[in-house]
Amino acid sequence: MLCWLTSHALCSTEAVKVVSEGCSPAERDALLLLKAGIRNSSALLSSWAAQADCCAWSGVVCRNRSGDVRVAELNLQNPNAEQTNEYDTALSGELLNPSLSSLTALRSLNLSYNDLGGAPIPAFVGSLRQLRVLDLRWCNFAGNLPPHLGNLTNLRYLDLKSNSFLQDRPRVDSSLDWLKALSSLTYLDMSDVDLSAAAYNWVSTINSLPALRQLKLFLCNLDVPPSLDLELNLTSLTTLDLSLNRFHSTFPNWLWNLTGLLSLQLGNSRLQGQLPPEIGNLINLVNLDLSLNSLHGPLPTSIWKLKNLANLDLSFNFLGDSLPTGIMNLSSLSTLNLANCSLTGPIPTELGNLTTLKYLYLDLNSLSGRVPGEIGKLLDLAQLDLSANSLRGNISEFHISNLTRFPGWLRWQHSIKSINLYNTGIEDTLPEWFWNSSSSTILAVDFSRNKICGALPTSLERPLPSTLFTPHLSYLILSHNHINGRIPSDVCDCMRLERFNLSNNQIFGEIPGCWPEGSLLSFVHLGNNMLSGEIPSSVGNLTRLEFLHLNDNNLSGRLPFSLQKCSQLLVVDLGDNKFSGNVPVWIGQSWLQLRALRLRSNMFDGDIAPQLGQLRDLQIVDLSNNTLSGPIPDSFGNFSALISTSARPLPPFFTMFVGSGDYEGIESMALVTKGDQLMFSTILYLVKTIDLSSNNLSGEIPKELGYLAGLHTLNLSRNYFRGEIPDDIGRMGSLETLDLSLNCLSGRIPQAMSELNYLNHLNLSYNNLSGEIPFGNQLQTLDDASIYISNPYLCGVLINKSCFNGNNINASSEEYGMASQMLSIYLSHALGFLIGLWSVFVLLLFQKDWRNSYFKMIDKVYEATKIKMRN
Ligand SMILES: *[C@@H]1O[C@H](CO)[C@@H](O)[C@H](O)[C@H]1NC(C)=O
Ligand SMILES: *[C@@H]1O[C@H](CO)[C@@H](O)[C@H](O)[C@H]1NC(C)=O
Ligand SMILES: *[C@@H]1O[C@H](CO)[C@@H](O)[C@H](O)[C@H]1NC(C)=O
Ligand SMILES: *[C@@H]1O[C@H](CO)[C@@H](O)[C@H](O)[C@H]1NC(C)=O
Ligand SMILES: *[C@@H]1O[C@H](CO)[C@@H](O)[C@H](O)[C@H]1NC(C)=O
Ligand SMILES: *[C@@H]1O[C@H](CO)[C@@H](O)[C@H](O)[C@H]1NC(C)=O
Ligand SMILES: *[C@@H]1O[C@H](CO)[C@@H](O)[C@H](O)[C@H]1NC(C)=O
Ligand SMILES: *[C@@H]1O[C@H](CO)[C@@H](O)[C@H](O)[C@H]1NC(C)=O
Ligand SMILES: *[C@@H]1O[C@H](CO)[C@@H](O)[C@H](O)[C@H]1NC(C)=O
Ligand SMILES: *[C@@H]1O[C@H](CO)[C@@H](O)[C@H](O)[C@H]1NC(C)=O
């Protein structure tokens, strides 16, 4: 590597003898032809003009060899390479224009991160005989690699990695024989190129590249032979990445001859069995990645001879057994990843000897016992993940042992940014030091989902300057524990606090009334505690508040007028308390960003103010189980978010909490849908619901509700609605749940209801509906008679009550009716749902944002399930 760098540096210093005149007209013309073929050359190639010396153009480097001035390097790499806005600055068009073949002295060509539009690499590239460096990674070329590349016998550096992000991956047609000619190659990266056609021959091909130092063939569909009938020549090889290829379950024995390796990556390669003792032959290894295989323990003791190892990743294997103490010999380790290795037993105290560790991941194992205090000796530790284990005992133990001399483990950490002990099985009181001592750089604390008990301190006595609450703490999460006591009022002084989550504990007393102006708090979750009293009016000073959860407490009184100052609120959950008075009119005038309003199970009374309908973004309205009276305002047909069938994600609010496995950080809310109360979190933003059930509402159901084509759940049950079900209900095309039971509705069930393709939970029972139950389409799938019970004047096949008493309908039309009914049963099963599914697919096909969010949602759900399963 060093040698290569030196030689490369040498050739660039030569090249740097840039000349100001004397660019040959032929070469200048060739470059202008190239520019002409590039579709959007404006910014990067603006200096390329007909008159000037081409050696001064950006990206062009010339070389003067005894008076012969030639273009030696062309660096048109995308300046935003590897950044998210990469495509904004990508050049596209014919970047490999045949005119380049006139640049016969070209030694370096770098087109990385541009866009060749899925074209193959043209054969003429093989004529650039002087090329030392060819960098075509991330260029979106596809098709076959031309064997003409084998003409580039001077090549030292070839990077063809990760192309075809839009089209087929590039392929090697039959063999890689052309590579054999590139005998000066020191760096070869063909990752993400399909090399399956090369079969086993690729090894002998590579073996004829004696100068090779770095070989990266990640994700190449390679067959990796278990043994070789040739002598390995690759004595210079220092880097080998064969991750994500086809290994034949065991480690190939020839690997152990590559004793010069500094870095070996074989992640995700379906390797099985034990790691052979020969791993100890690779005595120079600095990086070893064997993650995501099916390796079994125990590890060979020879691995502990690899004294130079800085990064060891064995995560997602089945090592079993306890954490091997031999690891303590690896005194240069900077990263140790043993996540999900089926480790059992305690964390050995000797871990504290690995003082160079920066990243330590032991999550997703079955480690038990206490967290040893010696972890506190890892002064360089930047990330520590112990989550999802069976650790128990005393969290204070590892700090307290040294408290006589030190103010605690946290204080030893000079630059710790976040502590995440989420779901680690800790059962203990919160130690006093936790409140009093900390590093001054700490940003985030997550101790959620443990069994931490004891009281919050009465006051956050703060031996300034180093306490947890100054000056930077922005993220405090102690949810899902057994913490009791009152909320200390000095929490109001944490001016940097953004997220504050004490939910699901046994905290009592009142919410402190000291909230100052200028606070950064955007997320407050005090739900599921025993808080009482009123919401203090100073909460109105939290003008950045976006998420306010006070649900499931004993809070009472009216909502303070000052709350209307919290105009950024997105989600408000005050459900299951004893709040009273009107649902304030100002909600509809002030909380203009509101997405979800949950006031369920309180004592709110009076009319629903029509102003609520002004909230364009409101998509969850849960006012159920109060004593609201009067009609539903017609303005409820105005909710734009419920009219629209697309969804907008909630903003991310913990982007700075890097390395967190913070599942408490995800917004969540309990909602009743299809008759069950469910917790929605990652997909909350997709939910659209109106629940006004169990109130004293009256009047007719406004036909304006029919505009809400995006609504999924409408629950108006247990009220005093009268009149007919409006026909317009058939326009609520996304409705899945409709509950109108226990009202005084009369008249016919509108036939239009059968148009609701997604409807799968319907309840019209206990009303005064009459006439024939409509059939066809979706209604046919809802064949449960209980949907309609206690409507004495309804009739129809489903409830076994003929509609033909005395009616003069003749037999043939009855038969016709039966036949069409049967047809519609088929149709509803086959078509009704199919149409439903189709609409989803079509939606997914055409609406990019939706598609992304849908798939991201699936990913997240999948990840969450994965984690849960491990737990
Ligand atoms: C190239 O180098 C020669 C000496 O080898 C020098 O005379 C000549 O001026 C240089 N040309 C340019 C354009 O710098
Ligand atoms: C090519 O350009 C990229 C910038 O995108 C740079 O990182 C890379 O080092 C260059 N390649 C070579 C071989 O110099
Ligand atoms: C160049 O073209 C590519 C592909 O068409 C496009 O993504 C990119 O935004 C364009 N860049 C500029 C600078 O116009
Ligand atoms: C380059 O290689 C191809 C195929 O290997 C060969 O047919 C061709 O003659 C070579 N071209 C030159 C200019 O050497
Ligand atoms: C090893 O490399 C040398 C050139 O350094 C070459 O002559 C020899 O054939 C190679 N051996 C094998 C087995 O490819
Ligand atoms: C590996 O090295 C051993 C001796 O050290 C030798 O016998 C064997 O042939 C070598 N294997 C390969 C594939 O080079
Ligand atoms: C760890 O360090 C302690 C001294 O702090 C030493 O006594 C012990 O032998 C070391 N353990 C190992 C396994 O190196
Ligand atoms: C406490 O500090 C002393 C002095 O630095 C150190 O030797 C000892 O290992 C520490 N104890 C623990 C449990 O970290
Ligand atoms: C808002 O904060 C100020 C101090 O910044 C305080 O005087 C005032 O009482 C607070 N407002 C409310 C409504 O409590
Ligand atoms: C309705 O609210 C009361 C208290 O106000 C509560 O006891 C009851 O469980 C709630 N019912 C539902 C279905 O939420």
Side-chain angles (χ1 to χ4, degrees), residues 18-22 64-69:
V18 180
V19 278
S20 54
E21 51 193 278
N64 181 359
R65 286 183 85 189
S66 43
D68 185 17
V69 178

Side-chain angles (χ1 to χ4, degrees), residues 495-513:
M495 291 302 286
R496 291 294 186 111
L497 204 57
E498 287 176 40
R499 291 177 61 78
F500 183 45
N501 190 342
L502 298 180
S503 68
N504 292 281
N505 282 293
Q506 285 120 38
I507 293 164
F508 52 83
E510 301 196 0
I511 300 173

Side-chain angles (χ1 to χ4, degrees), residues 338-352:
L338 298 178
N340 206 315
C341 281
S342 320
L343 295 175
T344 57
I347 300 177
T349 52
E350 291 90 343
L351 211 59

Side-chain angles (χ1 to χ4, degrees), residues 26 44 46 62-63 109 113 122 141 213 228 232 236 282 303 358 370 441 455 503 524 614 690 720 785 860:
L44 193 62
S46 56
C62 294
R63 188 163 180 253
L109 178 59
Y113 296 92
F141 69 78
R213 295 198 170 86
L228 297 177
L232 271 182
S236 309
L282 307 184
I303 194 176
K358 287 200 173 76
R370 294 155 188 267
T441 58
S503 68
V524 172
Q614 296 169 8
I690 293 183
Y720 300 101
K860 281 188 183 159

Side-chain angles (χ1 to χ4, degrees), residues 12 144 215 227 329 356 421 444 455 458 481 485 535 565 605 645 658 746-747 785 787 792:
S12 4
N144 291 324
L215 176 61
S227 61
N329 295 341
T356 50
L421 292 172
T458 43
N481 281 297
I535 298 181
K565 288 196 290 174
D605 57 19
T645 50
V658 183
S746 57
I787 292 174

Side-chain angles (χ1 to χ4, degrees), residues 605-868:
D605 57 19
D607 288 4
I608 302 176
Q611 284 81 352
L612 213 52
Q614 296 169 8
L615 299 177
R616 300 180 48 82
D617 295 331
L618 199 56
Q619 63 184 70
I620 294 173
V621 188
D622 186 351
L623 307 180
S624 158
N625 202 14
N626 283 286
T627 42
L628 300 170
S629 54
I632 300 179
D634 295 348
S635 65
F636 267 42
N638 294 352
F639 293 122
S640 306
L642 296 179
I643 293 171
S644 158
T645 50
S646 62
R648 210 154 44 87
L650 287 164
F653 38 73
F654 43 91
T655 40
M656 33 170 279
F657 194 18
V658 183
S660 159
D662 168 34
Y663 305 104
E664 294 316 299
I666 296 168
E667 175 59 19
S668 68
M669 186 176 270
L671 293 167
V672 177
T673 171
K674 299 178 186 152
D676 296 315
Q677 176 149 312
L678 297 173
M679 213 59 197
F680 287 87
S681 55
T682 37
I683 59 167
L684 182 68
Y685 76 97
L686 296 172
V687 176
K688 300 190 173 187
T689 190
I690 293 183
D691 190 346
L692 303 177
S693 62
S694 301
N695 278 292
N696 298 333
L697 297 169
S698 57
E700 297 199 4
I701 298 176
K703 65 177 190 324
E704 285 77 2
L705 289 189
Y707 299 139
L708 306 181
L711 190 67
H712 303 136
T713 297
L714 178 61
N715 190 347
L716 304 180
S717 69
R718 294 174 192 268
N719 281 291
Y720 300 101
F721 292 113
R722 46 186 66 249
E724 299 197 0
I725 302 174
D727 272 342
D728 305 70
I729 213 143
R731 294 160 53 190
M732 303 171 81
S734 306
L735 215 52
E736 292 173 28
T737 298
L738 176 62
D739 191 345
L740 304 178
S741 63
L742 288 148
N743 279 293
C744 318
L745 297 167
S746 57
R748 294 181 154 262
I749 300 174
Q751 177 67 39
M753 218 168 211
S754 65
E755 307 300 318
L756 301 175
N757 277 327
Y758 295 96
L759 195 64
N760 54 34
H761 186 94
L762 174 67
N763 194 350
L764 302 177
S765 63
Y766 296 94
N767 277 293
N768 216 358
L769 298 165
S770 58
E772 184 170 12
I773 296 173
F775 49 80
N777 295 345
Q778 196 62 18
L779 280 186
Q780 229 55 53
T781 63
L782 301 167
D783 53 2
D784 177 357
S786 70
I787 292 174
Y788 303 103
I789 56 166
S790 217
N791 285 284
Y793 304 108
L794 275 182
C795 62
V797 181
L798 184 59
I799 57 172
N800 248 335
K801 201 165 165 192
S802 168
C803 294
F804 306 121
N805 45 347
N807 286 0
N808 54 350
I809 297 171
N810 61 30
S812 64
S813 76
E814 190 176 344
E815 270 167 20
Y816 173 79
M818 298 266 290
S820 71
Q821 207 170 328
M822 282 179 62
L823 184 67
S824 64
I825 288 175
Y826 285 113
L827 283 183
S828 63
H829 279 292
L831 269 175
F833 250 83
L834 252 186
I835 289 172
L837 271 180
W838 254 110
S839 340
V840 177
F841 276 124
V842 171
L843 200 72
L844 290 179
L845 281 174
F846 291 109
Q847 299 202 3
K848 193 165 161 241
D849 290 348
W850 250 72
R851 198 166 61 204
N852 290 345
S853 56
Y854 186 80
F855 289 124
K856 275 184 200 150
M857 166 193 93
I858 289 182
D859 283 355
K860 281 188 183 159
V861 169
Y862 172 72
E863 271 183 34
T865 332
K866 213 170 62 181
I867 301 293
K868 283 207 187 91

Side-chain angles (χ1 to χ4, degrees), residues 4 8 59 98 102 121 138 143 236 255 423 508 533 637 667 830 854 871:
W4 180 79
H8 189 66
S102 320
I121 297 181
W138 287 101
S236 309
L255 274 181
N423 198 10
F508 52 83
E667 175 59 19
Y854 186 80
N871 284 345

